[in-house]
Amino acid sequence: MSNDSRIPTLTITHTVPRQTPQNDFGTVLARAANEVVRSGAGLVGGMIPGGPIVSAAVSSMKTVVSAVAPKASAAGMPATAETGGAAGAGAAAGNQEAWDLLEAQKVLAAEGQKFNMAYLQLQNEMQKESREHTAVSNIMKVRHDSAKAAINNIR
């Protein structure tokens, strides 16, 4: 056998401490929400009935998310902790931010419910108009057929 088919000698490198960024759940969630709102708002706006209304609602949510995301990514701290200050004060401020976000979600849900009710009312009006059109059309057809039959009977 020749020496060419042998496996070359292995080299060993000493390990170094791993240097990865701190990815807390709150930070990752805030970044993901910011990206979804940033990229998905334009796509969804054109497909949903009442697009301008939904677009306005998403834009207001984008403002809320972008206000939370920079705080979460500052110094690799979670979204509920405030940079600097005592631990108790940071937790209280974090809870306040969570309550503010929850309140914003409740307001957004209430606005969405109002828009859904308006959309439902519009659908009902359209159905009523369609039924009226069908009734008038049927009446006109019966009158036409009756007149045509009377003319044919005279001949």
Side-chain angles (χ1 to χ4, degrees):
M1 272 194 176
S2 70
N3 252 350
D4 296 336
S5 64
R6 291 188 154 224
I7 298 175
T9 59
L10 296 175
T11 59
I12 299 174
T13 306
H14 295 289
T15 59
V16 293
R18 186 173 173 179
Q19 297 179 356
T20 58
Q22 183 178 4
N23 289 331
D24 293 333
F25 178 74
T27 306
V28 173
L29 182 64
R31 271 190 265 143
N34 192 16
E35 183 63 27
V36 166
V37 169
R38 186 181 64 77
S39 63
L43 295 174
V44 174
M47 292 186 263
I48 296 177
I53 296 169
V54 173
S55 177
V58 170
S59 295
S60 65
M61 193 63 189
K62 182 177 178 181
T63 307
V64 171
V65 170
S66 64
V68 173
K71 292 179 184 176
S73 62
M77 300 198 62
T80 58
E82 196 169 304
T83 57
N95 287 340
Q96 183 61 36
E97 289 174 7
W99 284 112
D100 290 344
L101 185 58
L102 181 63
E103 193 64 32
Q105 288 174 344
K106 286 181 182 178
V107 168
L108 187 62
E111 288 178 5
Q113 189 175 14
K114 282 194 284 186
F115 293 135
N116 286 340
M117 291 302 293
Y119 184 64
L120 183 63
Q121 183 180 5
L122 179 64
Q123 281 181 330
N124 287 336
E125 290 173 8
M126 293 294 291
Q127 287 176 353
K128 179 183 173 190
E129 187 175 322
S130 176
R131 286 191 303 267
E132 290 172 355
H133 178 268
T134 303
V136 168
S137 176
N138 288 342
I139 291 170
M140 290 177 67
K141 184 176 188 292
V142 168
R143 288 177 68 188
H144 175 267
D145 290 345
S146 298
K148 185 176 178 183
I151 292 172
N152 285 337
N153 287 339
I154 294 174
R155 290 185 191 177

